[in-house]
Amino acid sequence: MSSYLDKQANSFKGNLASAAAKLSNPTSTKAVTTKAASLALPSLAPPSPSPSAASDPNTPSVKRKRDAVPDVPYSQPQLTGYGAEVKTQMTFAVEYLKKKGEDKTITEIIDHLSLRGYTEEHKRELADGLRGHPRIDWRPDGSLSEQTWQTGMYSHRPIIPGVKDATSLLAHLQRKTDASGVSVKDLKDGWPDCEETLSSLERQHKVLVVRTKKDNLPRCVWIDDASLHYSVQPEFHVMWHRVPLPSTDDMHRKLVSVGQKPTSEDPRKNANLGTKPKTQRKRAGKRGGKATNVHMAHLMQDYSGMRR
């Protein structure tokens, strides 16, 4: 077997030498020699990883495709500042004026929204929209005879205007002609830090405050009269709690005896009603569906009774 391989190797070398002698160009000779050597010698490429190594998550050679995380999350939009639409920019402008609580020019609003690079038509449309916004007050410049989109001052118009301290709040509550209260949420729109003042007025019995049960936060405010508040001595509190209260049955019996109708039913009747056995509800029968094949009724008749 070895002699056969030797013969094949010697034959290949002879053919290679004769081919090299026929070529006069040394560069071509080198290329042919290199090509022949690459065919004769085995490939030195690195071995491919085994299936077990490829499936091993701890293999540090090649990162798996499913583990590759994109640099930019395409599922979420990129930050685009204050938006390109005029209505979106108007919303941010209202929040800006509400936060500042003072008059601002349209130039200051444009600088805050980073709109210097926009066209003049876009800025004029924003100014016109702010002037007609229900939550914005625009005050024209009195020194000018003709107003443009760049003139005037803009300020936030709260839901309850003019209420920013204890005095203005009491005046607003006294001007109300109905028994409705003032929502603290609407009050905070123009007076964000009003909770401390509300607590002080409540201790002075000038306002009535309804608070949430969970967080004890003010929810609604009504006017109160401090002259109607009287302090009761502690001994009277003790005496009041010592007064024995009749039972529910006795109160119901006494009211019925004097011809008065109790505000609630007799608890004994409710107890008797509670001992009644439960009746099983009957199931409602299935309703027949609407027939849609009326035109085929003559084909669906039962002719089995006509058999001989």
Side-chain angles (χ1 to χ4, degrees):
M1 187 69 179
S2 60
S3 60
Y4 176 75
L5 294 177
D6 292 339
K7 290 180 180 180
Q8 291 292 332
N10 294 332
S11 175
F12 178 77
K13 291 180 180 179
N15 294 335
L16 180 64
S18 61
K22 293 179 181 179
L23 297 175
S24 59
N25 190 357
T27 306
S28 302
T29 304
K30 184 177 180 181
V32 172
T33 306
T34 305
K35 182 176 181 181
S38 63
L39 294 174
L41 297 177
S43 177
L44 299 179
S48 60
S50 61
S52 61
S55 60
D56 188 5
N58 298 324
T59 304
S61 59
V62 181
K63 192 173 183 180
R64 291 180 295 179
K65 184 177 181 180
R66 65 183 181 87
D67 293 338
V69 180
D71 296 336
V72 180
Y74 296 101
S75 61
Q76 298 186 10
Q78 298 180 354
L79 297 177
T80 55
Y82 291 100
E85 297 294 335
V86 175
K87 293 184 178 180
T88 304
Q89 295 168 356
M90 286 171 57
T91 303
F92 286 103
V94 172
E95 292 296 328
Y96 168 68
L97 295 173
K98 177 181 177 181
K99 182 178 179 181
K100 291 300 180 180
E102 56 185 8
D103 296 348
K104 295 291 182 180
T105 62
I106 189 63
T107 304
E108 294 174 335
I109 297 174
I110 289 174
D111 292 343
H112 174 73
L113 300 179
S114 303
L115 303 179
R116 287 188 177 183
Y118 283 69
T119 61
E120 183 177 349
E121 182 181 358
H122 185 91
K123 298 176 183 177
R124 184 185 295 105
E125 186 177 356
L126 175 62
D128 294 339
L130 290 176
R131 293 181 183 183
H133 199 281
R135 303 296 302 279
I136 296 296
D137 285 331
W138 175 67
R139 189 176 70 256
D141 191 352
S143 60
L144 300 177
S145 58
E146 184 178 356
Q147 304 293 328
T148 63
W149 68 270
Q150 297 178 340
T151 60
M153 304 294 291
Y154 298 83
S155 62
H156 176 251
R157 180 190 300 170
I159 298 177
I160 306 177
V163 179
K164 293 183 176 297
D165 51 14
T167 305
S168 57
L169 174 61
L170 294 176
H172 176 73
L173 292 174
Q174 290 172 359
R175 286 194 300 266
K176 293 181 68 66
T177 58
D178 53 3
S180 62
V182 174
S183 174
V184 178
K185 181 180 179 181
D186 296 342
L187 195 62
K188 285 185 176 181
D189 186 69
W191 187 14
D193 51 347
C194 63
E195 293 187 9
E196 185 177 354
T197 305
L198 293 179
S199 300
S200 177
L201 294 175
E202 185 181 15
R203 289 191 298 267
Q204 300 174 18
H205 303 284
K206 294 183 178 181
V207 295
L208 296 173
V209 182
V210 175
R211 298 179 178 272
T212 57
K213 294 182 179 180
K214 183 178 180 180
D215 302 325
N216 198 31
L217 298 176
R219 189 176 60 180
C220 201
V221 182
W222 280 269
I223 190 68
D224 194 8
D225 191 353
S227 61
L228 301 177
H229 178 74
Y230 294 94
S231 60
V232 181
Q233 298 179 1
E235 59 227 28
F236 288 100
H237 284 279
V238 177
M239 292 173 60
W240 174 262
H241 290 292
R242 286 179 181 176
V243 175
L245 297 177
S247 62
T248 307
D249 296 342
D250 294 339
M251 292 182 64
H252 185 275
R253 192 179 302 107
K254 290 180 180 180
L255 288 172
V256 173
S257 63
V258 296
Q260 298 291 333
K261 185 178 180 180
T263 56
S264 60
E265 295 181 357
D266 190 351
R268 292 172 294 183
K269 294 182 180 180
N270 296 334
N272 295 332
L273 292 175
T275 57
K276 287 185 178 181
K278 295 182 178 180
T279 58
Q280 188 176 3
R281 296 180 59 184
K282 295 182 180 180
R283 290 187 176 181
K286 293 184 178 180
R287 297 181 179 179
K290 183 180 179 181
T292 58
N293 52 358
V294 182
H295 62 286
M296 301 176 62
H298 63 285
L299 300 176
M300 297 183 180
Q301 294 181 5
D302 186 10
Y303 296 99
S304 58
M306 301 177 63
R307 292 180 180 178
R308 294 180 180 179

